[in-house]
Amino acid sequence: MPQPKAIASVNDFVVKFANVNGSGSASANGLFARAIMRMGIPVACRNIFPSNIQGLPTWYEVRVCEAGWLGRRGGVDLMVAMNPQTWDKDVASIDPGGYLFYDSSRPLPASKFRDDVNVIGMPITEICNKAYTDARQKQLFKNIIYVGALSALLGIDPIEVEKLIGEEFRSKEKLIVPNVKAFLLGREWAEANLRGAPMGLRLQRADKVKDRIFIEGNSAAALGAVYGGATVCAWYPITPSTSLAEAFMRHCRKLRTDPQSGRARHAIVQAEDELASIGLVIGAGWNGARAFTCTSGPGISLMQEFLGLAYFAEIPAVVFDVQRGGPSTGMPTRTQQSDLLSCAYASHGDTKHVLLFPEDPHECFEMGATAFDLADRLQTPVFVMLDLDIGMNDWLCEPLSWDDSRRMDRGKVMTREALEAGKEFGRYLDVDGDGIPYRTYPGTHPARGAYFTRGTTKDRYARYSEEGPVYVDNMQRLLQKFETAKEIVPRPVRADAGRKTQFGVIYFGSSSAPMGEALEALRAEGIHLDTLRVRAFPFHDDVSEFIADHGQVFVVEQNRDGQLRMMLVNECGVDPTKLISVLNYDGTPITARFITREIAEKVGVLNPVPLKKRVAR
């Protein structure tokens, strides 16, 4: 049978590995991606894994893109099919003209293949059985062997792979030689037996990575917490936020440990549950420490009452919410942007909380540090809204940087000297008109500046009161503080199209990565959009102005109910018919092709002017 027309591309394609969880494939697949990056070619990786320990399917997607697009494109050019359980689904996902690389040790019927896909078989299990006798070695080295074969097929520099193996196992040197041997075994077999394989995907050295780094969002956020002055972390393990607390531990061992005495200058507490963890954070914040917890949607649900206490008693706290699929247990190892409403209005009664929306690990670091200044300055909980895609995947991003002259903004703290001089102190007294009162740290003065920290209603001097006007006065002041927050949280980022357009698009967080590519594809089809990336809640006035400037505004988000759209309608008072949702919520990161298709179809309905042609699906 003649081979179908093959996709041909240099430094621009998608490789997807289909494996079994617990098989040791993760390190081999990561080695593959990093080797390409070492050749100066940008990569974007997505690890799609199950919530069990082992046995279920797992996928690892590598986007190779010299142009620098870091979001998921959609579609697969080369499928490395190593899991018989998902074979049919994996083969179906390959783009026409793409490639299927598989273990051909056992013959498969013709019905298991597609006529429009190029097939490359390699008897990997057979090769392993001849080379190794130990069952565990057979399993682990099978992964390294296919990386070796792919390096020959695609043109990965073997020297880069060998360097990476040496770096990965530098603390276990005895593992370096056998891993290099397995890699070369696969590479040499492919060079000898697959020279005629139909492979139009190639890698060529480039210089497009520059000084960018490869880092997880959770690790970057944890480092931001260290630089932001956090000394207390209280947490309860939950996917996908656990690695943030673990990263904070690692960073603190290096940066929060006294070099002379070896004593820790930090406190990290694994609480008995999420409710206890936020309680510890609030207690530490009341006492003047910078404290945080990290959790995900189910943890946010459990923390609701304590979050209301911190809001009403006005105690600084930072919560890193690494969002996952819900509700209930939902999809613990899949990504979504579905906690916006539960965080923005957390707790019963009338509450509004500050949210920050980082787009990549670089902003996770920046906003991770900024959150503590905002929490102190506003005397309130601040949420940093990551998601699993940002938090648990390695991203190529600009190097993290810090201005050593920067100092912590502790906000309005009345000192002993001010109290001694007779300055009036009312814990909930607004003296500046910005809604933010002065606070004191415990023990500031032996006779002045003390107050009751209440979760009940109180007057401006923290005295218990159930009088209606007193309650209204306090609640209105809290609203004024929220208005003040609009001017000090990160502003949205606007970019206008090269020509006047009635269409705009609003997006946030990890949706930013595929958005740029989607916009370019839409421009090629004659669809021009002004864009606004929202970076914080409360929404700056720029958001309302952007919506007012356009006839229709698409709101791209990764949840079912259009939660950002709801908040825009609720907070900005805009006509709901102007906001058109573009929603992806299947648990995998949104793709450029999905955004392009959805917006093109909606524009086609809204715009009577015909487009040049249909956008490719």
Side-chain angles (χ1 to χ4, degrees), residues 492-506:
V493 178
R494 177 169 178 165
D496 288 342
R499 61 181 68 180
K500 187 173 179 59
T501 175
Q502 64 169 319
F503 296 112
V505 60
I506 293 176

Side-chain angles (χ1 to χ4, degrees), residues 168-304:
E168 184 170 345
F169 296 110
R170 58 180 173 269
S171 60
K172 301 176 181 179
E173 290 189 9
K174 65 180 182 179
L175 297 178
I176 295 175
V177 171
N179 274 277
V180 171
K181 181 181 177 181
F183 167 74
L184 293 176
L185 179 63
R187 182 178 176 87
E188 290 166 2
W189 193 96
E191 289 176 334
N193 297 277
L194 298 177
R195 285 190 175 277
M199 178 54 69
L201 308 178
R202 297 296 296 172
L203 295 165
Q204 291 180 359
R205 280 196 175 272
D207 187 24
K208 299 297 183 180
V209 174
K210 304 297 183 182
D211 63 344
R212 285 183 287 179
I213 62 174
F214 208 44
I215 187 173
E216 277 187 354
N218 280 353
S219 183
L223 189 60
V226 174
Y227 275 78
T231 56
V232 177
C233 168
W235 65 296
Y236 184 77
I238 181 172
T239 303
S241 70
T242 297
S243 62
L244 199 157
E246 293 171 342
F248 185 71
M249 293 180 202
R250 294 194 302 272
H251 297 321
C252 283
R253 279 196 291 269
K254 181 177 180 181
L255 301 171
R256 285 263 188 275
T257 302
D258 186 89
Q260 279 73 45
S261 66
R263 294 182 62 184
R265 296 182 295 184
H266 60 277
I268 300 174
V269 182
Q270 182 176 324
E272 61 266 33
D273 54 32
E274 288 89 349
L275 187 60
S277 67
I278 189 63
L280 287 163
V281 168
I282 292 170
W286 172 83
N287 206 40
R290 290 194 154 184
F292 75 91
T293 189
C294 50
T295 189
S296 191
I300 296 295
S301 297
L302 291 171
M303 295 176 184
Q304 294 286 306

Side-chain angles (χ1 to χ4, degrees), residues 375-420:
D376 270 352
R377 187 169 171 184
L378 294 167
Q379 300 172 30
T380 197
V382 173
F383 294 80
V384 185
M385 306 295 290
L386 294 80
D387 57 34
L388 184 145
D389 184 25
I390 296 177
M392 292 193 69
N393 285 315
D394 287 311
W395 285 58
L396 197 62
C397 68
E398 295 301 317
L400 311 183
S401 59
W402 186 258
D403 182 357
D404 288 333
S405 66
R406 178 173 169 177
R407 295 293 178 266
M408 289 188 291
D409 184 351
R410 300 309 298 260
K412 296 182 180 181
V413 179
M414 193 164 290
T415 64
R416 178 189 179 96
E417 292 73 22
L419 291 167
E420 196 70 39

